[in-house]
Amino acid sequence: MKKVLTLLSLMLFACNVAVAKSPIEIKVISYNIRTIARDGDNNWENRRHATRNMLNSHTPDLFGLQEATMVHLKYIDKFFPQYSRVGVGRDDGKSGGEVMAIYYKKERFDLLESGTFWLSETPDKVSRGWDAACNRTVTWVKVRDKETRKKFYYFNTHLDHRGRVAQAESIKLVLEKIKEIAGGRATVILGGDFNMLPENVALAPLGECMHDARTTAAEADAKGTFNNYGRLKENLLIDHLFFRGRRAKCHEYRVLDGDYGAPFISDHYPVEIVLTF
């Protein structure tokens, strides 16, 4: 009997080791959905089906939204019950103002921790930082894959569009918070609308400790992400995804500018990456 129990213990140990070493593949989409505004033919009501079609087509494991309001979130909640949502309004810490929402597949992941902080000198309370034009936030989650038991963090943000000091200081704060929340070794994904082109010097600190998914992916395009509903001669690459992790690799990076049933899905195109670690 003792030998049988020992054998069973060894088998269970071997199974646990095999699970721990199994790679996990995840698909993440970052998407500035465009806040409710007077956009004429591009009003949310005229393009919301395109968001629905995009999500149905690509079925991300997690996705982060920028500029989402409760109108957007209720629509997505209705049609995508397989996801759970995290995030609070930037203007009151509840439902007021834009939400940097994160959605994750609830059948695949366990939510271990989550939170929101403000990009300001007082990040733990509703506030506006430096020379920013708006309140800006970061929503984050720590999740665990139910099959492989692997854990990782996803941070979703939207940096200010005017304040140059706010942009630079926000990057510094985000990196400080990642270190505080996730430590120095955990796998981390950071994405959102940074309102900065890749060559902007304010982004440099990110490149020193994280990988740019676009420049390190095995397969990638170089398309712009901000289309301004077709008013630009050339789309601007201001939405970015970064990651870190000792064994993390980006296999695919794509700007999702396909036809989802509306001339423009938003004034930004979603960005999709596929990672393994």
Side-chain angles (χ1 to χ4, degrees), residues 123-175:
D124 296 327
K125 64 180 182 180
V126 177
S127 51
R128 184 173 304 180
W130 304 285
D131 58 347
C134 308
N135 292 357
R136 300 291 182 179
T137 61
V138 177
T139 298
W140 62 273
V141 295
K142 178 183 181 181
V143 297
R144 177 176 57 208
D145 181 76
K146 293 182 179 182
E147 181 177 348
T148 66
R149 312 301 289 174
K150 290 183 181 293
K151 306 169 188 176
F152 64 94
Y153 294 80
Y154 177 30
F155 290 72
N156 175 42
T157 191
H158 187 183
L159 270 60
D160 203 65
H161 62 299
R162 291 183 184 173
R164 297 295 176 258
V165 174
Q167 288 178 348
E169 293 300 321
S170 292
I171 292 293
K172 296 175 185 177
L173 178 61
V174 168
L175 290 174

Side-chain angles (χ1 to χ4, degrees), residues 212-255:
D212 184 334
R214 180 180 62 87
T215 60
T216 58
E219 297 181 18
D221 61 44
K223 298 176 181 178
T225 59
F226 177 61
N227 59 63
N228 198 23
Y229 295 130
R231 301 187 187 102
L232 302 175
K233 291 183 178 179
E234 184 176 352
N235 296 334
L236 303 177
L237 181 56
I238 60 175
D239 301 85
H240 307 284
L241 279 157
F242 299 87
F243 68 96
R244 77 170 202 202
R246 188 166 59 90
R247 296 184 178 179
K249 295 181 180 180
C250 185
H251 297 272
E252 298 177 26
Y253 167 98
R254 289 193 295 167
V255 176

Side-chain angles (χ1 to χ4, degrees), residues 46-150:
N46 297 330
R47 57 183 175 82
R48 61 186 180 182
H49 63 283
T51 289
R52 183 178 172 186
N53 291 340
M54 182 272 292
L55 292 172
N56 276 325
S57 176
H58 294 274
T59 61
D61 296 300
L62 305 96
F63 61 94
L65 301 178
Q66 302 90 45
E67 295 195 18
T69 67
M70 293 310 299
V71 173
H72 300 95
L73 300 178
K74 288 179 180 179
Y75 180 84
I76 293 174
D77 291 347
K78 176 182 178 180
F79 289 105
F80 297 93
Q82 67 270 40
Y83 292 91
S84 288
R85 166 167 56 91
V86 173
V88 299
R90 69 185 188 183
D91 292 338
D92 63 1
K94 298 176 182 178
S95 60
E98 298 172 10
V99 181
M100 303 308 110
I102 292 177
Y103 283 82
Y104 63 92
K105 285 183 176 178
K106 55 189 176 185
E107 289 189 0
R108 180 171 184 186
F109 302 109
D110 292 317
L111 178 66
L112 302 180
E113 297 177 45
S114 66
T116 294
F117 59 89
W118 277 256
L119 294 174
S120 75
E121 298 92 331
T122 53
D124 296 327
K125 64 180 182 180
V126 177
S127 51
R128 184 173 304 180
W130 304 285
D131 58 347
C134 308
N135 292 357
R136 300 291 182 179
T137 61
V138 177
T139 298
W140 62 273
V141 295
K142 178 183 181 181
V143 297
R144 177 176 57 208
D145 181 76
K146 293 182 179 182
E147 181 177 348
T148 66
R149 312 301 289 174
K150 290 183 181 293

Side-chain angles (χ1 to χ4, degrees), residues 8-38:
L8 286 173
S9 298
L10 289 172
M11 291 173 65
L12 288 171
F13 175 76
C15 287
N16 289 333
V17 170
V19 168
K21 290 185 177 181
S22 299
I24 176 177
E25 180 177 287
I26 57 172
K27 181 188 291 185
V28 179
I29 287 177
S30 179
Y31 174 33
N32 185 323
I33 202 167
R34 172 64 174 167
T35 191
I36 301 298
R38 296 178 181 178

